[in-house]
Amino acid sequence: MLREHSGWVVLVAIVLVVILALGIAGWAGMRVRTVGGAHRGRRWGRRPHRNDFRPEGTVSESPTRRAAIIVNPTKFDDVDAVRRQITEQSTRHGWAEPLFILTTERDPGTGQAKEALDEGVDLVCPLGGDGTVRAVAEALVGSEVPMGLLPGGTGNLLARNLDLPVDDLDDALRVALTGQNKRVDVGRLTMDTSGEDQSPATHVFLVMAGLGFDAAIMADAPEKLKAKVGPAAYVVSGTRNLRGPQFKVRVKVEDQEEFSRRARTVVIGNCGKLLGGLVLMPEAEVDDGQLDMVILSPKGVAGWAAVAARLATKKRKGHQIVDHYTSPSMKIRADRPQEVQIDGDTLGKARAISAEVVPGALVVRVGSVE
């Protein structure tokens, strides 16, 4: 019997891999609530920090450099042990004892990062999931202070797209303390719940924003199941939403005429790599001054299997199931409210979203580990 249905077993397995890859980023930040609104009082175009131009690993002339570590305490069983580990490593590299600030359910990192900037730190490192990284970046956008990426969640998607260490805290901290600065783009998403441009909310995203199926996976995953089985809860949620209906969208890409499509999900990316080596947007680069968009329009299980096959080939040419677009800005208006997510955090439902790239708005510490 299993042999007779082996073809369908393989198809379902492929679909579940796609579901898990799209949904697993939400696990890293599932306990982190989003903080909306543009950053106040900071300009987007300030010059890079002077450390941009020093060789990797070179110690600055100042012996009192200090990093701030913004920690999501829900990600660690022993926060004090992590603090000791980071302090020892910082001292070893000639840095002062770090400033440690914990996130809260009410403030997942933006307020803490602003506090760190007010303290005059030289580096701010979020230590949590992708939601923590995004919340900290909200405060750092437009500043000269670099962000160091430390692995604390399941996804660590921005670090993966920058080829930074994601499996070892010491390696990641070494890059943050001794590496070079790199300016990267950020995406700015405006979400209109009414569809009539009434009181739209604006959010920063670093990796991807989505409208439709991918956001529904994250919104529908049962909280109790997520606590018990982790990322596997998104497979359950994805399976539940797999046969959902398509919706109609009107899409406006800069310098192109508006067009209509039927879709299951629309994903806008600042970079294109997901977990497991899956590349959703092959040509997306974090510093190219562009956003990439993919529209997925499958029907049923067979359609999702075709999507999986299409993504596995990393092809970018237009297709009725998977289609790609690149532009500095884009607008999407749905015929009915759809779930919205940014970097794995769900924002609720909206009729319309728009996104624009802000080139070079964030400084991130990168570099090879010695």
Side-chain angles (χ1 to χ4, degrees):
M1 181 66 70
L2 180 60
R3 183 176 300 174
E4 292 175 358
H5 297 284
S6 61
W8 283 107
V9 171
V10 171
L11 287 178
V12 172
I14 292 173
V15 170
L16 293 183
V17 168
V18 174
I19 291 170
L20 184 58
L22 287 173
I24 199 171
W27 168 249
M30 71 180 187
R31 297 183 183 178
V32 180
R33 295 182 181 177
T34 58
V35 175
H39 181 63
R40 54 187 179 184
R42 295 195 177 275
R43 295 178 292 164
W44 298 96
R46 298 176 66 182
R47 68 183 299 276
H49 192 275
R50 63 180 180 276
N51 285 345
D52 267 6
F53 309 104
R54 63 184 177 87
E56 180 183 343
T58 301
V59 177
S60 169
E61 68 276 2
S62 172
T64 57
R65 291 174 300 159
R66 192 184 192 196
I69 314 296
I70 313 299
V71 185
N72 181 346
T74 67
K75 301 295 182 182
F76 303 96
D77 295 328
D78 191 342
V79 174
D80 288 338
V82 173
R83 177 171 183 159
R84 289 193 296 271
Q85 178 182 356
I86 292 176
T87 299
E88 291 173 2
Q89 181 86 314
S90 298
T91 302
R92 189 177 304 122
H93 286 280
W95 288 61
E97 180 178 347
L99 170 67
F100 288 88
I101 312 176
L102 301 184
T103 67
T104 65
E105 186 176 9
R106 178 173 295 181
D107 190 341
T110 304
Q112 291 85 346
K114 291 178 180 178
E115 179 183 342
L117 292 178
D118 290 340
E119 291 287 334
V121 299
D122 302 282
L123 175 72
V124 179
C125 300
L127 182 55
D130 289 324
T132 307
V133 173
R134 191 192 64 79
V136 168
E138 287 238 15
L140 298 182
V141 161
S143 81
E144 299 177 9
V145 178
M147 180 169 70
L149 296 171
L150 305 182
T154 304
N156 303 304
L157 289 181
L158 181 59
R160 292 178 191 275
N161 278 274
L162 291 170
D163 296 322
L164 296 176
V166 295
D167 298 318
D168 188 286
L169 178 58
D170 283 339
D171 283 349
L173 184 59
R174 189 180 304 121
V175 171
L177 296 176
T178 68
Q180 295 176 314
N181 291 345
K182 175 183 178 68
R183 283 206 174 272
V184 302
D185 306 334
V186 302
R188 188 161 54 191
L189 181 88
T190 301
M191 172 179 166
D192 181 12
T193 57
S194 69
E196 302 296 334
D197 299 319
Q198 297 176 3
S199 303
T202 301
H203 307 267
V204 164
F205 67 94
L206 305 177
V207 183
M208 295 181 191
L211 174 79
F213 177 69
D214 69 313
I217 291 175
M218 299 171 193
D220 270 1
E223 291 295 332
K224 291 183 179 179
L225 189 61
K226 286 191 288 187
K228 290 182 179 179
V229 302
Y234 292 101
V235 175
V236 175
S237 176
T239 303
R240 181 187 305 161
N241 287 275
L242 196 62
R243 296 183 179 274
Q246 294 183 341
F247 55 94
K248 187 176 181 180
V249 291
R250 295 190 65 82
V251 181
K252 179 66 174 71
V253 177
E254 189 171 291
D255 297 330
Q256 296 185 28
E257 293 186 4
E258 186 178 71
F259 61 91
S260 296
R261 284 285 301 272
R262 300 201 68 83
R264 285 300 314 281
T265 191
V266 180
V267 182
I268 301 170
N270 186 41
C271 43
K273 187 185 299 182
L274 298 173
L275 294 180
L278 181 64
V279 179
L280 185 63
M281 302 172 186
E283 294 187 3
E285 299 287 346
V286 75
D287 58 354
D288 62 357
Q290 301 281 340
L291 293 176
D292 285 64
M293 177 173 61
V294 60
I295 302 176
L296 305 181
S297 308
K299 292 183 179 180
V301 174
W304 280 112
V307 166
R310 186 74 179 179
L311 295 179
T313 63
K314 300 183 181 180
K315 291 182 179 180
R316 192 185 182 284
K317 294 182 179 180
H319 191 274
Q320 61 180 356
I321 295 178
V322 181
D323 210 356
H324 293 260
Y325 301 88
T326 300
S327 174
S329 66
M330 48 204 60
K331 298 180 180 179
I332 300 95
R333 186 177 298 272
D335 61 352
R336 57 186 181 275
Q338 300 294 325
E339 293 285 351
V340 178
Q341 65 85 16
I342 51 172
D343 291 352
D345 287 335
T346 55
L347 301 180
K349 292 186 176 182
R351 287 283 305 276
I353 61 172
S354 61
E356 63 177 333
V357 68
V358 187
L362 180 67
V363 181
V364 179
R365 190 60 62 84
V366 299
S368 302
V369 177
E370 300 175 352

